[in-house]
Amino acid sequence: MGLFNNKRDDDVPQQDLQELFQRLEHLERKCRRMEARIAELEEDLISQRNKAASAVMDSPEATAASADEQEQPVEITMSVDSIAATAAPLSSPVAAPAPSHVETAVLFLPAPTADGLFVQATESEQIGKSIYQLTTADKQSGTFILLDTPDAIATAMISVSTFIKPVCRVDGPTAQFPRHIVTVEEGTAAREGAGWRVTRKAVVRFE
């Protein structure tokens, strides 16, 4: 009797660890997508900063200030003031990438209609209802994935033909209940009224 009890005590932590590993894998995938987006924003920021600096150096005011410095080296204070006044607009272009970062939004979508329309979207995940996640930078078009969470998988697997196939192409078998649903290729969608119309299906794989 004692050996039987010890076996059950060992089984419970293993199940808990499996669920923990599943959630960690999901978080790692989210982190990788966020890191890629951060890298894109950093590249945009550097590009904007270089363009702004080049525009300041090529402006007529900067050229005139440079000529004054060469002709009248004694009036150093006036040359510095002129350059400072010309360089002041640099702060505005450098801050330009900020709006694109603010406008980027993540929305959660419920089951689609049979013709591939998500009729509504929410800014927070609704357990038992949210199945898809959409990312948009302009609120008019975006890309979507199927959420790889236990709740989303359980909801989606209620009916693969109703909840998944209208907006996704399944790569591989669908008969077995999966531990994970991996988005192999993100789908695309365009804004249609208060909803989102799928313009290209996502590709998913059951694991």
Side-chain angles (χ1 to χ4, degrees):
M1 187 67 179
L3 292 175
F4 180 78
N5 289 336
N6 289 337
K7 184 177 180 180
R8 293 194 60 184
D9 289 341
D10 292 340
D11 287 342
V12 173
Q14 290 177 1
Q15 294 175 356
D16 291 342
L17 285 174
Q18 288 177 355
E19 293 180 1
L20 179 60
F21 289 152
Q22 291 175 5
R23 294 184 179 275
L24 286 175
E25 289 175 6
H26 174 63
L27 291 173
E28 287 175 357
R29 280 191 287 273
K30 281 189 174 181
C31 287
R32 284 194 292 269
R33 289 195 292 269
M34 292 177 67
E35 288 174 356
R37 180 57 182 163
I38 290 172
E40 291 178 3
L41 292 174
E42 288 178 347
E43 290 179 2
D44 291 342
L45 177 61
I46 293 172
S47 176
Q48 290 290 338
R49 183 176 296 166
N50 291 339
K51 289 180 180 179
S54 177
V56 169
M57 295 304 296
D58 293 340
S59 66
E61 291 83 355
T63 304
S66 177
D68 289 343
E69 278 188 346
Q70 294 178 358
E71 293 177 1
Q72 301 177 359
V74 178
E75 297 180 1
I76 297 176
T77 303
M78 300 222 19
S79 298
V80 171
D81 291 342
S82 177
I83 293 173
T86 305
L90 178 62
S91 60
S92 179
V94 171
S100 65
H101 177 70
V102 174
E103 291 177 2
T104 300
V106 175
L107 302 175
F108 295 91
L109 310 171
T113 61
D115 59 347
L117 175 66
F118 297 107
V119 296
Q120 60 180 336
T122 58
E123 295 182 353
S124 59
E125 183 178 358
Q126 296 182 338
I127 303 301
K129 186 175 182 181
S130 299
I131 304 177
Y132 298 88
Q133 175 182 297
L134 181 140
T135 303
T136 176
D138 57 7
K139 298 183 180 179
Q140 296 301 320
S141 61
T143 58
F144 69 91
I145 63 171
L146 198 156
L147 287 170
D148 184 25
T149 63
D151 293 315
I153 293 173
T155 302
M157 293 304 295
I158 292 174
S159 176
V160 174
S161 60
T162 301
F163 295 159
I164 298 179
K165 289 188 175 181
V167 295
C168 296
R169 181 170 62 83
V170 181
D171 183 12
T174 62
Q176 185 176 0
F177 192 92
R179 290 179 175 269
H180 299 284
I181 298 182
V182 179
T183 301
V184 179
E185 182 179 339
E186 295 183 350
T188 60
R191 188 69 176 268
E192 184 173 302
W196 293 83
R197 170 73 64 181
V198 172
T199 55
R200 188 186 71 221
K201 288 186 175 183
V203 179
V204 299
R205 182 176 67 249
F206 292 3
E207 295 182 351

